[in-house]
Amino acid sequence: MKVSIFPSKRLIYALMMAFAFFLATFSFSLAATAQAKHYTQLQLPPLPPVKLPKYERYVLNNGMVVYLMEDHELPLVSGTALVRTGSRWEPGEKVGLADLTGTVMRTGGTKKHSPDELNEILEQRAASVETGIGEGSGSASFEALTEDLDTVFGLFAEVLREPVFAPEKLDLAKTQEKGGIARRNDDPDDIATREFRKLIYGKESPYARTVEYATLEKIQRDDLVQFYQRYFHPNNIILGIVGDFDSKKMRSLIQAKLGNWQRNPKITKPQLPEVKAANTSGVFFVNQPQLTQSSVLIGHLGGKFDSPDYAALDVLNGVFNGFGGRLFNEVRSRQGLAYSVYGYWSPRFDYPGIFLAGGQTRSDATVQFVKSLQAEIKRIQAQPVSPQELAFAKESTLNSFVFNFQDPAQTLSRLMRYEYYGYPADFLFRYQKAVAATTAADVQRVAKQYLKPDNLVTLVVGNQTTIQPPLTGLAKQVTPIDVTIPGV
C-alpha cells in the first residue's frame, strides 16, 4: 500500500481556513484592544425623559379623592387609602394609641366578618387587606387577583368603614407592643436613632416620644374607637387603585362600596405640632458596656422638601456620600476610621427634618471620628466643590431619577403623597430640572447657609471604658443619657 508523505488537498484547505480564522480573530482582538476606552471616557446618550403612565383623578360626592391607573401587565389589582391622621396627634399620655388603632382596625374584624373569617377568605384567594397608622398618615391597602377584585375590595371597604376593634385583639396588640419595648435597647443603632431624635426635637415632641408600658396601660378600646371616628371619613381620604381593571367598572365598584359613606362636614385639618430645636449643641453619651465599637450621630434641625434650595442640598448630599464622596474618601478610605460613614440633609414634607452625619467606628477612634466629621462639614463650606465632584453628584442623582417610577404602583403612590401634603403633582420633575441647573456655587452657598458646624448635637452610644481618649476631648461636659426602660 502506497502512503503519500504529502498532506491531502482537504487537509491543506482546512489548515488554510484555520489560519485565516486565526488572523481574523487576532486582527479583531487588536482592533478591539486599540478601541477600548476607560469607563470615564465613555460617551453615553442622555437618558430618555420619564413619562407618567395615564391616570384618572376624580372626587366622589362624599369628598373622597380617587386616583385610577390601569396596568394590564399582570392580572393583579392593588389599592391604598391615605387617611389624614397620624401618631403626632395622639395624646401625650397615650403614646401608642394611633399604632394600636391602625393594627386592631384590621386584626379586630368587621361588623360582617370576624377576624378568623376575614383571614380565611383572604388566604383562600392569596389576597391581603392591611391597615396601619404612622407618624403623619394612616393607610388601608389591599391586593388581589383580578378575578377576586369584587370580593376583596368589598372586604377592604368593610375594614375601612366598619371595624369593630375586638377587645381580645387589642390585648394581643398590647402584648406584642410590650415585647417591642422590652427589646428596644438590643441594637445600638436603634438606641442612637431614637435618642438623637429626642435631643433634636425634645423628648415630649410627637416626632420623638416613645411608647412606654405606662402609656399602653392607659389605652382602652374606647380610645381606639374615638380615634378612628375622629379621622376616618371619606372627605379625609385619598384612594388610589392600580392594576388590571377597567376604569368604568372600577368606578362603579367604588361607588357601590364607598359612595354612600357619609362625609363629615365638621372635620378640619389637624393643626401641626410645633417644631423647634430642643438642643443646639452638646455632647451626649449612652453607655453600653457590652459594645466593642461606637455608634455616632451628629447633627441639628433641618428643613422641608418645599425649600427652594432642596435640589442644591440634595446635590450636597451627593458630594458628601457614597463611593467617591468626601466622607467615604477621607474618613473611611484615607483615615480608616469607619466602615460606614454618611452625612445627609434629610427634609420632611410638612415639618423640619434633620441634618445628620454619623456612622460606626472603633471605640478607640470615637473622638477622632467625630472630629473628622466636624472637619468635613466645615470643609464643604470653605472649599469649593470641584467640577468632578459636582458632575459625580449630579449624575448620580439624575441617573437614579428613573427609579422613582419603577412601576405604576410606585408612581401612583407618589402622586397621592404629593396631594396629601399639598405639593404640586410635577414636584419631582421640578426637582429634576433644579438638580440639573445646580452649580458648584449653589452647593457652597447652601452649605454655608444651612449647615451649622458650631451648633452640632453629638450623640455617642458605646463602651465608656474603651473609648480612649475620652469624650471630654470633644467637650468639657458630656451629658449621660439613661435608656433604662421604665416599669421593667
Side-chain angles (χ1 to χ4, degrees):
M1 179 178 180
K2 186 178 181 179
V3 178
S4 173
I5 61 173
F6 298 101
S8 66
K9 292 183 178 179
R10 180 178 297 178
L11 178 59
I12 293 174
Y13 180 75
L15 289 172
M16 290 177 62
M17 290 296 295
F19 184 68
F21 177 77
F22 170 76
L23 286 176
T25 304
F26 183 70
S27 299
F28 177 79
S29 299
L30 287 175
T33 302
Q35 295 175 4
K37 296 181 180 179
H38 191 267
Y39 76 94
T40 57
Q41 298 177 305
L42 295 177
Q43 298 294 321
L44 301 176
L47 294 172
V50 175
K51 295 182 180 180
L52 293 181
K54 183 180 179 181
Y55 69 92
E56 179 181 2
R57 179 194 179 280
Y58 68 100
V59 183
L60 297 178
N61 291 334
N62 58 17
M64 181 181 292
V65 176
V66 179
Y67 282 85
L68 299 180
M69 183 179 288
E70 293 187 27
D71 175 24
H72 302 285
E73 185 174 353
L74 295 171
L76 301 171
V77 181
S78 62
T80 298
L82 272 181
V83 186
R84 296 187 187 280
T85 182
S87 62
R88 56 185 174 182
W89 291 297
E90 66 191 2
E93 70 276 9
K94 295 182 180 180
V95 178
L97 171 59
D99 182 46
L100 289 175
T101 302
T103 298
V104 184
M105 182 176 169
R106 163 64 179 87
T107 63
T110 70
K111 293 180 180 179
K112 296 185 181 69
H113 294 92
S114 70
D116 289 343
E117 291 172 340
L118 195 60
N119 292 336
E120 184 178 354
I121 296 171
L122 292 171
E123 288 172 3
Q124 288 175 346
R125 291 162 175 77
S128 68
V129 173
E130 304 295 339
T131 59
I133 298 177
E135 177 188 88
S137 65
S139 67
S141 61
F142 74 88
E143 291 185 358
L145 293 169
T146 304
E147 62 188 43
D148 299 320
L149 176 59
D150 288 12
T151 299
V152 176
F153 188 80
L155 296 176
F156 165 77
E158 281 184 34
V159 171
L160 197 57
R161 297 181 61 175
E162 301 176 341
V164 297
F165 298 103
E168 66 274 14
K169 296 301 181 180
L170 172 57
D171 294 338
L172 175 60
K174 280 187 176 183
T175 299
Q176 294 171 334
E177 193 71 43
K178 290 176 182 177
I181 295 174
R183 296 188 301 272
R184 74 183 182 194
N185 288 335
D186 291 353
D187 187 327
D189 289 339
D190 290 345
I191 296 174
T193 300
R194 182 185 73 234
E195 298 303 321
F196 192 76
R197 290 181 68 85
K198 292 181 181 179
L199 293 173
I200 297 298
Y201 293 112
K203 63 180 181 179
E204 299 302 325
S205 167
Y207 299 111
R209 62 194 178 193
T210 54
V211 60
E212 303 288 357
Y213 293 118
T215 63
L216 283 179
E217 289 302 318
K218 295 179 181 178
I219 300 172
Q220 306 300 321
R221 178 184 177 276
D222 287 347
D223 297 313
L224 273 65
V225 173
Q226 291 173 16
F227 193 88
Y228 165 83
Q229 291 176 344
R230 181 177 180 184
Y231 297 107
F232 282 75
H233 302 281
N235 51 322
N236 204 37
I237 293 175
I238 301 173
L239 173 66
I241 301 176
V242 61
D244 183 33
F245 59 82
D246 176 78
S247 292
K248 184 177 180 180
K249 293 180 179 178
M250 193 71 239
R251 272 177 169 262
S252 298
L253 182 60
I254 294 171
Q255 182 62 36
K257 300 298 182 181
L258 299 172
N260 64 347
W261 192 4
Q262 296 299 308
R263 66 185 297 144
N264 181 358
K266 297 181 180 180
I267 198 167
T268 57
K269 188 175 182 179
Q271 184 176 358
L272 292 175
E274 181 183 5
V275 175
K276 58 182 180 180
N279 293 280
T280 55
S281 62
V283 176
F284 301 84
F285 179 64
V286 177
N287 187 29
Q288 295 286 281
Q290 77 280 10
L291 298 181
T292 58
Q293 66 177 20
S294 297
S295 292
V296 177
L297 293 176
I298 69 174
H300 53 69
L301 195 65
K304 299 193 295 182
F305 282 111
D306 60 2
S307 165
D309 291 320
Y310 165 53
L313 286 162
D314 210 32
V315 175
L316 171 68
N317 286 347
V319 173
F320 261 140
N321 291 286
F323 292 98
R326 287 191 177 184
L327 292 177
F328 184 93
N329 288 345
E330 177 64 22
V331 181
R332 182 186 187 275
S333 297
R334 197 185 74 80
Q335 298 185 39
L337 293 177
Y339 181 75
S340 66
V341 61
Y342 49 83
Y344 292 102
W345 180 265
S346 181
R348 294 292 181 267
F349 279 105
D350 60 359
Y351 72 93
I354 296 175
F355 168 67
L356 183 71
Q360 294 77 38
T361 188
R362 305 186 316 272
S363 295
D364 62 357
T366 302
V367 171
Q368 186 182 357
F369 179 68
V370 173
K371 288 182 177 180
S372 294
L373 290 176
Q374 294 170 342
E376 287 305 307
I377 294 171
K378 291 180 180 179
R379 185 163 77 94
I380 198 75
Q381 294 181 320
Q383 180 180 319
V385 176
S386 69
Q388 294 78 13
E389 287 179 311
L390 181 67
F392 174 80
K394 290 174 64 173
E395 288 173 8
S396 297
T397 301
L398 293 173
N399 290 344
S400 65
F401 184 79
V402 66
F403 296 110
N404 293 289
F405 306 92
Q406 293 184 79
D407 57 69
Q410 186 185 35
T411 302
L412 184 59
S413 175
R414 187 174 294 278
L415 291 171
M416 294 169 62
R417 189 69 60 180
Y418 287 157
E419 174 156 348
Y420 183 91
Y421 287 109
Y423 281 62
D426 64 343
F427 172 76
L428 200 60
F429 292 96
R430 297 184 188 185
Y431 155 79
Q432 182 188 32
K433 292 179 180 178
V435 168
T438 297
T439 65
D442 292 328
V443 175
Q444 192 170 29
R445 174 182 60 80
V446 297
K448 291 180 178 179
Q449 181 177 345
Y450 293 95
L451 303 187
K452 312 294 181 184
D454 296 327
N455 298 108
L456 292 169
V457 175
T458 301
L459 173 65
V460 176
V461 179
N463 186 338
Q464 185 173 14
T465 61
T466 58
I467 294 178
Q468 298 296 335
L471 295 179
T472 49
L474 299 172
K476 291 182 179 180
Q477 180 179 350
V478 177
T479 305
I481 296 177
D482 184 4
V483 294
T484 303
I485 301 169
V488 176

